[in-house]
Amino acid sequence: DGVTEVLAHHSESLQDKFVEIPCSEDYDSHKRFEGCTPRKCGRGVTDAVITREEAERIRRIAERGLSLGGSDGGASILDLHSGALSLGKHFVNLYRYFGDKIQDIFTEEDFALYRDVRQRIQQRIAQAFGISSASMYLTKPTFFSRINNTEAKTTHDEYWHPHVDKVTYGSFDYTSLLYLSDYAEDFGGGRFVFMDAGSNKTVEPRAGRVSFFTSGSENLHRVEKVHWGTRYAITISFTCNPDHGIGDPVLM
């Protein structure tokens, strides 16, 4: 595992922590979007953008949605935009599968909170990287994840493999994670690990904490296996390419 350095402890409240790192060469082979495509790369952590109370309200949205399904393995996904929901070993479209019942599960306020949180995270990323927030677009997939220590049943449950978001998702230029539960209190394991040459930089989740980074191979990362409890988070990512942009989710 090499050397592990904790970038953000769960017990501390961080105003803003930003570490600049050299950009990988990935960006040379992609179309550049002036004022958005990363020229400065890095990773940041802040506890000052979303309150713990807001994180709790968002976690309840995730809990309500995921109560309709859930994976047989340890990792369940809910994507409010596409409607994708883990159900057993498969995915269903929440909106088609549950139809009008959706109105009993989510409210307009839920979706307004989601929008508001997305906008604040977007502004924080733009500020950290010195780009214009207007040149960034929300991109898919944006999703809630619920992870526990149930054994993996399909490859979708194997969340712990090292990966690069730009390779996995293509459209991602900036990735953010909003944590909705607390490391060491709500769950054990499940820390987020940036894998640098010769060392690991670890982020310990804390409700309301936002971790964000450029999505290229300068930020190879993985999530540790969850040993006990339940870890909730939401992944909200942005692209510089307007063709890959999506609107905020709306209550069907």
Side-chain angles (χ1 to χ4, degrees):
D1 269 356
V3 183
T4 297
E5 183 190 318
V6 178
L7 194 61
H9 286 274
H10 73 284
S11 55
E12 58 186 339
S13 179
L14 293 169
Q15 188 60 32
D16 266 318
K17 187 166 194 172
F18 185 78
V19 181
E20 190 170 343
I21 54 175
C23 290
S24 60
E25 289 167 7
D26 306 1
Y27 300 100
D28 301 340
S29 57
H30 292 287
K31 184 178 173 189
R32 296 197 75 87
F33 291 87
E34 218 33 68
C36 179
T37 298
R39 291 200 177 277
K40 162 178 161 182
C41 293
R43 50 189 75 144
V45 183
T46 175
D47 295 313
V49 174
I50 309 301
T51 67
R52 287 180 69 82
E53 189 266 333
E54 287 167 330
E56 218 164 277
R57 283 168 57 201
I58 291 180
R59 192 182 74 224
R60 287 200 291 270
I61 300 173
E63 287 169 343
R64 290 200 303 273
L66 285 162
S67 71
L68 298 172
S71 162
D72 287 346
S76 301
I77 294 297
L78 165 66
D79 180 335
L80 287 182
H81 188 272
S82 69
L85 171 71
S86 303
L87 189 66
K89 291 185 176 65
H90 307 283
F91 291 94
V92 294
N93 183 313
L94 177 80
Y95 302 117
R96 283 209 292 272
Y97 202 79
F98 294 99
D100 297 342
K101 286 200 201 119
I102 290 300
Q103 308 287 338
D104 304 331
I105 293 156
F106 302 123
T107 64
E108 289 295 355
E109 285 78 16
D110 293 337
F111 282 71
L113 175 64
Y114 183 100
R115 265 196 312 277
D116 181 36
V117 162
R118 189 271 304 158
Q119 282 162 350
R120 277 185 273 159
I121 291 173
Q122 184 167 343
Q123 281 157 359
R124 181 67 203 90
I125 294 174
Q127 195 185 338
F129 289 102
I131 58 174
S132 148
S133 157
S135 64
M136 299 163 68
Y137 303 88
L138 183 66
T139 192
K140 64 183 180 187
T142 64
F143 55 91
F144 289 104
S145 55
R146 180 184 72 194
I147 304 175
N148 60 31
N149 67 351
T150 309
E151 195 185 326
K153 301 290 193 289
T154 70
T155 51
H156 293 297
D157 296 318
E158 296 183 20
Y159 55 84
W160 53 81
H161 299 295
H163 65 278
V164 170
D165 286 351
K166 189 89 187 133
V167 174
T168 306
Y169 300 110
S171 64
F172 286 25
D173 288 305
Y174 298 93
T175 306
S176 78
L177 293 146
L178 166 58
Y179 295 110
L180 306 175
S181 48
D182 292 309
Y183 169 74
E185 289 176 38
D186 297 315
F187 61 91
R191 296 181 306 171
F192 185 96
V193 184
F194 289 108
M195 303 172 73
D196 297 340
S199 79
N200 288 337
K201 309 289 191 302
T202 304
V203 176
E204 298 179 349
R206 166 191 165 98
R209 169 165 288 169
V210 177
S211 148
F212 58 89
F213 49 93
T214 43
S215 309
S217 55
E218 66 281 352
N219 279 313
L220 173 71
H221 60 274
R222 68 183 181 91
V223 172
E224 295 175 331
K225 287 188 180 182
V226 169
H227 303 308
W228 58 267
T230 307
R231 176 194 193 270
Y232 282 95
I234 178 168
T235 300
I236 301 179
S237 299
F238 301 94
T239 183
C240 296
N241 186 342
D243 295 343
H244 293 151
I246 59 173
D248 286 300
V250 287
L251 192 53
M252 298 287 178

